[in-house]
Amino acid sequence: MKPEKILKRYGRSGDNLLAILHDIQDASPEHYLSDADLRSAADYLRLPYSFVHGVASFYTMYSLKPRGRNLIRVCQSPPCHLLGSSTISRELIKVLGVGFGETTADRLFTLEMTSCLGVCGVAPAMMVNDRVYGNLTAERIAGIIDDLRRAQ
Amino acid sequence: MNKKILKRFDSLRLEGEKARSNVIRPGSTIIQVGSATCENAAGAREIREEFRKHIASSGRADIVLHDVGCTGRCSLEPIVGILRPGERPVKYQQVSREGVHRIFTDHVLHGQPVAELILDGTQKSGSRYEILFCRGERCGNLAARGLQARLRERLEQRGVGADVVAVQGVNFADMCVGESKFQGGHFLVRPGNHLYRVASDADLERFIDEHLLADRPVQELIVQEQPIGQNFFELYGDISFFNRQSRIALRNSGIIDPTSLPEYLNAGGFHSLARVLAAGDPDGVIAELSASKLRGRGGGGFPTGSKWQMARKEPGGEKYIICNADEGDPGAFMDRSMLEGDPFSVVEGMIIGGFAIGASRGFFYVRAEYPLAIERIENALAACRKHGLLGEDILGSGFSFDLEIRLGAGAFVCGEETALIHSIEGERGQPRIRPPYPSQSGLWGKPTVINNVETFANVPVILEHGAEWFRHIGSDKSGGTKVFALAGKVNHTGLVEVPIGTTLREIIMEIGGGCPKGKRFKAVQTGGPAGGCIPATHADLAVDYDTLTAMGTIMGSGGMIVMDEDDCMVDIAKFFMKFSADESCGKCTPCREGSKRMLEILERITAGEGREDDIAKLERLGLLMKRTSLCGLGRAAANPVLSTLRHYREEYAAHITEHRCPAKRCAALVRYSILADKCVGCTACARNCPANCIAGAAKKPHAIDPERCIKCGRCFRVCRFGAVERN
Ligand SMILES: Cc1cc2nc3c(=O)[nH]c(=O)nc-3n(C[C@H](O)[C@H](O)[C@H](O)COP(=O)(O)O)c2cc1C
Ligand code: SF4
Ligand code: SF4
Ligand code: SF4
Ligand code: FES
């Protein structure tokens, strides 16, 4: 969906900013907010661009640079750490060939760190787009990535 | 009492009952599959699909697939329940696709439970009856314990053996309702789910003669009221993880379909709202809450009644009510589970709150990381609007109120109430100095009540069963239960709801089953990054807001992160500090800079480069942050460090002065090597080493290249001959 269309669904009131940014980013194939997106949101809500930029850069779920088609967010919080999240991270780096904050050359995956995902009962955990994977082991990682590749 | 409102509600309930019995016809076999994020993460989605296929190909219309929320037994998910008419429900654990096939063929179709998949290996006894006898530990009803002992004696004397009956001691806490509460003993008999209240030996004899030996339940001894935990006990009461819990906030989780308003109504839902609206007395609601000693479950423990009272007495005009569902504490997942498993309870609590303080608009502030919870809330709000439970003139009472959802965007600090308000207003989620408190000047400058998910979920039951009942369940200063999230090194990870004042030992060792692999329980962190650790030596601590504060930690949102002998307290403190440094919003210097400095020092210490004065520096910085930070995040961020310094100072010292990690956890301070005389050359380590740094021919001793070893410890774990050494 075009950003203009998304904007029209909301009233011109500043408290809709976060929701608008979420929707625009979700609709973006590269999961990010471009400068033009920020400007059109600012114009629509009659807010200064610098304010909108400030909001977008404050919240960790908004990205101001293009990302891969699948967002892999690996939990780095203490409960997952206790159960071996560092092994999972290492394995993902190995399998994907990129580090945290980076996107694979085929633009299929971006690897990110996240704080607790609220599924510590099945730690260690990660989230790929909207789906949560729990009870992870290093052995399972390659298979999960393969499945995601094939699903494209 | 406005009778019209109650009548409207009754017809709604009847409508619901009809709708429900159209879905689940009497006499059906029900297959229950958990459908929460954690269940799905463990594979429940595939299981559900598999059952659907099996039902379709069986062509049976009397087999129904029923989605429920999560039971809170994370470590054994996916959990499946099979309810055949007239039989005791059977629950299965860690069900796989192959498991589905066996369960469906053997049990659903042919009535033969699949023994080795049964949850916790229960129900193997094969006795005709099962008695769950409340031990009365929670309410101090010691008569109960005597009666239970006498029942066992009598069964033995009469020669009634295990083929007929099995007796289990459990904790109900909330079963003692009605006139004669806290007198005599209570027990539940399954199948049939008859709740008995007995007072004398004669009662016991009658029960044995008539019910056990002649299959005629003794109506005069059976309690007629439906206690709130009964549905839960009927389903899960045979399992020791569950039967020591008191499910009040989680009363419907794992039992009802969280997307179905009819099921919520059928479970007694919205009755409190209807009564509150019919009575038309907001002050009465607040008085009842105050008397119940309900304290906020989001961290601060502020009395909910007082908070509502403050907002209510602010002069008129617009007011708001907000549910804080920004749950971000590492180790906490009760709010997610509640919203996914029973969203209507929270909605009902919020509508009652809106009525009590005089608000007409309310908000759910939910973290965007919880897509399923968001979907369930949206669904609940739509259903409520459709049936006149939200919107204009609710149930014909003249009271109008509606709820909206607002999403966070990945900032932990937005759980702080003033930051949350800024975030709803569309700004950066940064806190501001209080006062003014939100109850005076909150969202858009209007009086605003912010409560936690669990706080709201408790409201309808308090009004249903009364403040006195609720207060009696908790401790002197805090009424009711608390839901704890067990995570880390504990056998039964998941949600545990127990009366406030329950000991750590009961929660972690008994219900939680202690640490995996027989390891020694070392400490538990409560309150997440704002809390502290409690060493195992204090396991008999009764958990309450004030006892935890006295231990140098806090209740927080109820996360309990369990650590065993292999865990390093400096390492864990470092991880919490990393969390706080990452999440600091940067508005004030003590928190922004202090958390960074403290993290640097902790990184240095765990890398074996600690300096003599580092402990003193940590303490100085920690106290500074505590005293001068603007909001709760910065003020509490040093707690994990200060509390581990209080209890485990010698571990810090060992890292700094001896360059030694006593738990052998800090990678920079351990070395892996292979003992040539023990190594049989099985190659297991070499095959598993992610760095490919183990060399050796088959059947010959292997060796590790220390230069390339990344110290992951996998060789140490896989060697079955004790040949890998770690020091
Ligand atoms: C950094 C920080 C994060 C917080 N996060 C949450 C949260 O995720 N959920 C919550 O209910 N309360 C959270 N709180 C506490 C809230 O500020 C507030 O006290 C609470 O929502 C009040 O509700 P209650 O009285 O029902 O507990 C947080 C506080 C701080 C300082
Ligand atoms: S204490 Fe930390 S999180 Fe709170 S306002 Fe200051 S910098 Fe922000
Ligand atoms: S610790 Fe890990 S990297 Fe080092 S030798 Fe063992 S398996 Fe290999
Ligand atoms: S696993 Fe143990 S016994 Fe086998 S090769 Fe490695 S060190 Fe030797
Ligand atoms: S700590 Fe990883 S999901 Fe909570």
Side-chain angles (χ1 to χ4, degrees):
Chain A
M1 203 189 295
K2 285 247 166 56
E4 297 72 49
K5 254 195 163 155
I6 292 173
L7 290 170
K8 291 232 172 60
R9 294 192 308 201
Y10 289 93
R12 290 181 189 261
S13 124
D15 60 311
N16 287 325
L17 178 58
L18 267 73
I20 287 175
L21 295 181
H22 268 305
D23 282 1
I24 295 181
Q25 176 165 288
D26 289 348
S28 148
E30 292 177 291
H31 294 295
Y32 88 115
L33 297 165
S34 68
D35 219 43
D37 293 334
L38 298 185
R39 279 184 201 285
S40 55
D43 289 347
Y44 184 76
L45 297 174
R46 303 189 189 96
L47 294 166
Y49 164 79
S50 59
F51 177 88
V52 173
H53 187 276
V55 169
S57 53
F58 177 82
Y59 294 97
T60 60
M61 286 181 98
Y62 301 130
S63 173
L64 300 179
K65 57 176 203 195
R67 294 185 283 187
R69 195 165 325 156
N70 296 292
L71 298 184
I72 303 183
R73 295 150 44 87
V74 191
C75 175
Q76 304 287 320
S77 286
C80 281
H81 167 66
L82 282 175
L83 291 159
S85 58
S86 53
T87 319
I88 305 304
S89 302
R90 241 189 335 257
E91 191 68 19
L92 279 162
I93 291 171
K94 197 173 100 189
V95 170
L96 295 171
V98 295
F100 281 104
E102 296 175 1
T103 302
T104 53
D106 57 10
R107 305 215 64 80
L108 274 183
F109 300 100
T110 297
L111 186 59
E112 294 184 345
M113 297 186 187
T114 178
S115 293
C116 178
L117 295 167
V119 289
C120 330
V122 291
M126 67 178 185
M127 202 164 173
V128 182
N129 308 324
D130 265 2
R131 170 151 190 195
V132 173
Y133 293 79
N135 298 322
L136 290 172
T137 56
E139 291 72 33
R140 277 181 62 202
I141 295 296
I144 293 175
I145 299 295
D146 268 356
D147 287 348
L148 288 165
R149 273 221 176 85
R150 246 177 286 134
Q152 294 311 315
Chain B
M1 255 318 148
N2 184 331
K3 292 259 169 57
K4 250 178 35 210
I5 297 175
L6 293 178
K7 256 183 132 160
R8 272 277 283 277
F9 173 71
D10 275 338
S11 62
L12 188 64
R13 192 162 52 183
L14 285 176
E15 222 178 283
E17 228 164 83
K18 250 200 296 191
R20 189 175 166 274
S21 57
N22 279 337
V23 181
I24 303 178
R25 291 207 189 81
S28 303
T29 292
I30 301 170
I31 301 176
Q32 233 162 239
V33 184
S35 67
T37 301
C38 44
E39 298 261 9
N40 288 339
R45 233 186 279 253
E46 290 75 22
I47 300 309
R48 207 169 313 129
E49 210 30 59
E50 203 66 18
F51 271 119
R52 190 160 303 162
K53 284 187 206 150
H54 275 80
I55 296 174
S57 62
S58 76
R60 293 260 304 262
D62 62 335
I63 302 176
V64 200
L65 192 58
H66 188 224
D67 280 351
V68 294
C70 127
T71 58
R73 187 67 200 277
C74 302
S75 52
L76 295 177
E77 286 169 351
I79 290 176
V80 167
I82 303 293
L83 287 72
R84 283 168 51 95
E87 292 174 19
R88 269 179 273 174
V90 179
K91 282 79 55 190
Y92 293 102
Q93 66 187 33
Q94 294 178 314
V95 177
S96 62
R97 281 192 202 196
E98 299 75 63
V100 170
H101 182 71
R102 288 185 59 197
I103 293 169
F104 195 83
T105 331
D106 295 2
H107 190 183
V108 176
L109 295 181
H110 298 106
Q112 269 311 314
V114 184
E116 64 271 29
L117 294 180
I118 289 180
L119 182 56
D120 277 342
T122 44
Q123 293 175 329
K124 280 181 186 156
S125 65
S127 40
R128 185 150 19 105
Y129 293 104
E130 183 178 45
I131 296 179
L132 304 173
F133 208 121
C134 181
R135 295 185 288 200
E137 281 174 359
R138 299 289 166 64
C139 57
N141 176 2
L142 296 180
R145 221 173 302 179
L147 281 160
Q148 188 189 330
R150 296 214 298 277
L151 174 64
R152 284 182 198 272
E153 265 167 39
R154 246 145 247 266
L155 289 172
E156 201 172 327
Q157 280 165 16
R158 305 279 305 270
V160 184
D163 54 325
V164 178
V165 67
V167 185
Q168 253 200 82
V170 301
N171 285 326
F172 287 145
D174 55 316
M175 285 293 184
C176 347
V177 293
E179 290 302 301
S180 53
K181 53 187 150 193
F182 315 122
Q183 287 170 26
H186 293 82
F187 59 84
L188 190 71
V189 185
R190 295 148 40 104
N193 299 309
H194 301 284
L195 179 62
Y196 275 84
R197 179 179 289 146
V198 292
S200 65
D201 291 0
D203 289 349
L204 293 174
E205 288 291 347
R206 250 190 102 183
F207 164 70
I208 296 173
D209 285 334
E210 297 179 28
H211 194 148
L212 293 187
L213 299 179
D215 204 24
R216 268 185 296 142
V218 191
Q219 293 306 333
E220 297 92 286
L221 297 177
I222 290 173
V223 179
Q224 296 307 333
E225 313 95 288
Q226 162 106 348
I228 146 171
Q230 183 153 351
N231 290 334
F232 188 79
F233 266 84
E234 285 174 11
L235 259 170
Y236 301 107
D238 53 335
I239 294 164
S240 68
F241 176 77
F242 295 120
N243 66 28
R244 290 149 182 258
Q245 300 193 36
S246 304
R247 295 270 177 148
I248 293 175
L250 292 173
R251 57 195 172 277
N252 295 322
S253 288
I255 302 169
I256 67 169
D257 178 346
T259 63
S260 158
L261 176 61
E263 290 202 16
Y264 181 66
L265 289 165
N266 189 57
F270 286 115
H271 185 234
S272 284
L273 175 67
R275 286 205 340 200
V276 162
L277 293 179
D281 175 17
D283 291 309
V285 171
I286 293 177
E288 192 76 11
L289 278 191
S290 295
S292 77
K293 296 192 181 171
L294 171 66
R295 293 171 69 172
R297 303 294 194 238
F302 193 80
T304 307
S306 312
K307 191 184 272 190
W308 290 16
Q309 179 62 35
M310 286 189 310
R312 169 155 181 80
K313 68 171 202 276
E314 286 294 317
E318 192 116 34
K319 292 176 188 174
Y320 301 107
I321 194 149
I322 298 175
C323 173
N324 188 343
D326 194 45
E327 186 170 68
D329 260 17
F333 46 92
M334 58 288 283
D335 294 350
R336 173 184 60 70
S337 181
M338 237 172 267
L339 290 170
E340 290 176 353
D342 187 22
F344 290 102
S345 288
V346 186
V347 171
E348 185 177 357
M350 288 184 77
I351 305 175
I352 294 173
F355 176 75
I357 68 162
S360 58
R361 240 177 122 188
F363 297 86
F364 272 95
Y365 185 82
V366 197
R367 67 192 302 225
E369 289 90 339
Y370 284 178
L372 184 62
I374 295 164
E375 185 188 314
R376 297 264 156 94
I377 302 169
E378 276 169 353
N379 174 75
L381 298 185
C384 288
R385 278 190 205 111
K386 191 167 155 208
H387 292 92
L389 292 161
L390 271 179
E392 297 292 314
D393 191 18
I394 295 175
L395 291 175
S397 65
F399 170 61
S400 300
F401 180 80
D402 212 338
L403 285 167
E404 297 162 42
I405 301 178
R406 293 297 153 102
L407 301 193
F412 170 71
V413 71
C414 287
E416 195 280 336
E417 50 192 24
T418 59
L420 186 153
I421 287 171
H422 287 146
S423 185
I424 294 187
E425 291 171 348
E427 298 179 16
R428 295 158 70 107
Q430 288 182 316
R432 63 158 172 79
I433 292 174
R434 298 175 307 177
Y437 289 94
S439 49
Q440 305 155 316
S441 171
L443 190 58
W444 295 303
K446 305 284 191 251
T448 303
V449 159
I450 302 179
N451 278 127
N452 169 260
V453 173
E454 188 181 339
T455 312
F456 281 120
N458 275 303
V459 169
V461 253
I462 293 175
L463 298 170
E464 182 81 34
H465 294 280
E468 200 200 329
W469 161 83
F470 191 78
R471 202 178 56 222
H472 209 112
I473 291 171
S475 71
D476 286 348
K477 288 191 182 148
S478 333
T481 57
K482 178 77 194 84
V483 181
F484 294 101
L486 286 183
K489 302 287 188 63
V490 63
N491 269 313
H492 310 161
T493 56
L495 295 182
V496 174
E497 180 172 2
V498 288
I500 292 179
T502 303
T503 64
L504 279 175
R505 185 185 307 285
E506 174 148 11
I507 298 169
I508 295 168
M509 304 308 288
E510 295 186 23
I511 300 175
C515 300
K517 300 179 194 147
K519 297 274 184 186
R520 192 171 46 80
F521 164 45
K522 180 174 182 180
V524 58
Q525 172 93 10
T526 68
C533 69
I534 306 172
T537 44
H538 295 274
D540 288 313
L541 186 79
V543 180
D544 197 345
Y545 293 89
D546 311 308
T547 56
L548 290 177
T549 310
M551 279 298 291
T553 178
I554 57 166
M555 176 80 86
S557 52
M560 285 199 177
I561 303 168
V562 181
M563 288 160 274
D564 70 14
E565 55 190 292
D566 291 341
D567 294 315
C568 167
M569 302 313 284
V570 190
D571 176 65
I572 199 80
K574 176 180 79 181
F575 262 79
F576 278 114
M577 190 49 76
K578 180 167 185 311
F579 177 87
S580 297
D582 284 349
E583 298 294 344
S584 164
C585 80
K587 182 167 174 173
C588 65
T589 322
C591 166
R592 187 183 62 234
E593 295 304 319
S595 59
K596 255 188 245 153
R597 290 289 91 75
M598 287 186 77
L599 178 59
E600 276 165 20
I601 297 174
L602 292 164
E603 278 173 342
R604 182 155 89 208
I605 296 176
T606 52
E609 290 155 10
R611 302 174 195 155
E612 280 305 322
D613 60 346
D614 274 350
I615 292 186
K617 267 195 188 143
L618 285 174
E619 280 174 332
R620 225 177 20 245
L621 277 166
L623 291 178
L624 185 78
M625 285 179 74
K626 227 180 160 108
R627 273 201 295 264
T628 57
S629 293
L630 192 154
C631 85
L633 192 154
R635 277 202 296 269
N639 286 349
V641 179
L642 297 176
S643 101
T644 44
L645 272 172
R646 170 171 164 185
H647 299 294
Y648 296 95
R649 208 180 187 85
E650 70 291 349
E651 281 194 28
Y652 280 81
H655 283 75
I656 297 172
T657 54
E658 302 163 38
H659 303 286
R660 184 173 66 84
C661 173
K664 300 188 174 164
R665 175 90 187 190
C666 294
L669 301 180
V670 298
R671 270 189 63 231
Y672 291 90
S673 53
I674 293 176
L675 300 167
D677 55 331
K678 283 201 182 159
C679 174
V680 302
C682 74
T683 75
C685 59
R687 278 182 284 116
N688 278 284
C689 171
N692 279 324
C693 65
I694 306 181
K699 303 206 175 128
K700 293 269 154 45
H702 282 45
I704 294 174
D705 175 0
E707 293 294 305
R708 281 162 47 222
C709 169
I710 56 168
K711 301 181 184 177
C712 69
R714 225 191 277 180
C715 52
F716 181 77
R717 286 193 296 272
V718 297
C719 178
R720 289 185 294 120
F721 304 93
V724 179
E725 197 181 38
R726 181 175 67 175
N727 40 35

